[in-house]
Amino acid sequence: MHYWSPSLDVDYEFEKLVNRMHPPRVTVDHITDKKSTLIKVDSANKRGSLLEVVQVLTDLDLLIKRAYISSDGGWFMDAFHVTDQYGNKLSEDNVADRIQQSLGPRGCSFRSLRDRDYDTDEYDIVSDSSSGHKPLVTVENCVEKGYTVVNLRCADRPKLLFDTVCTLTDMQYVVFHATIIAEGPEALQEFYIRHTDGCPISSEAERQRVIHCLEAAIKRRVSKGLRLELCGEDRVGLLSDVTRIFRENGLSVTRAEVTTRGSTAVNAFYVTDASGNQVKSETIEAVRNAIGETVLKVNEDEMSMCSKSSRQQQTGGFSLGNLFRNRSERFLYNLGLIRSYSEVA
């Protein structure tokens, strides 16, 4: 429950005044980074600025691969390296305008962002023990700088940065500096924070509370399986056809997000093999060929993980049989009975 007070209206009007005097400046750079689009945001610093920026990028369905954040003083400066859901650079030319409008005087206030998107039920908190990745959260004080340093290391997923930033903001902490790296299956996040009163974390109980809340934020919305996104013209029987193709190829759907935008179906499926293990790359290719490669898409990073897993399964990993075979081939090469050991190794 949220209570109204006159100070809330005063703060909100002050924020609008600051936005008018110092409007946010957003630049989009497609050249600097070969693999991602660089988005820079400069604006007057106010509480909730970082959360609002991350919220906008999340609403645009962008994946944040790297980010460098600084808001120490009266100015707020962020640099985000982003891609679309499939790991490609952005193709839209109006992304800067959309971000600027969202952060400007006509955009949503910090309170409405938090109330609308962060309040979730407990059916949304899912343990990530099935994913094989246990989140690691450390909280230590940097005495010489007067900050508390928070480090997170966990499996990456969509909206992860939003959930962690929203948690820190909701717990009345301010992020002064941060570095985010999520260029593979794992995400690394480092935050330099202080409480809104300007002090770092001062007790062991408070430190443990931050760790516990961030671990819960990491586990939020975790889904097991490879994410496949279906985007195409909606029609009767489309969903049943897709799930039938999944079954015929031995895939099990662990979670589905089904939406329709006008005449277009935008559905996301999280799939595993019949035993609950990671799907082989050749299986995904077979499914995409059956449904349509332009209709069913998969993130490049996740696909590369499937390929790596498939190669390991095909080679059988390390075994005594492989060891003896390699030794015998090396012995035959030394006797001159085969041409090159490297050709068979």
Side-chain angles (χ1 to χ4, degrees), residues 75-90:
W75 201 250
F76 172 80
M77 295 175 289
D78 284 358
F80 297 92
H81 294 256
V82 304
T83 68
D84 63 16
Q85 291 288 322
Y86 312 107
N88 303 316
K89 286 188 176 185
L90 307 189

Side-chain angles (χ1 to χ4, degrees), residues 268-309:
F269 303 92
Y270 294 84
V271 299
T272 65
D273 68 11
S275 302
N277 299 319
Q278 190 174 46
V279 184
K280 294 181 180 180
S281 59
E282 53 265 31
T283 303
I284 296 300
E285 290 299 336
V287 170
R288 292 185 68 196
N289 288 334
I291 297 176
E293 293 184 1
T294 59
V295 177
L296 191 68
K297 299 182 178 180
V298 59
N299 183 279
E300 289 183 2
D301 288 338
E302 294 188 80
M303 194 64 181
S304 64
M305 289 296 293
C306 287
S307 299
K308 180 179 179 181
S309 177

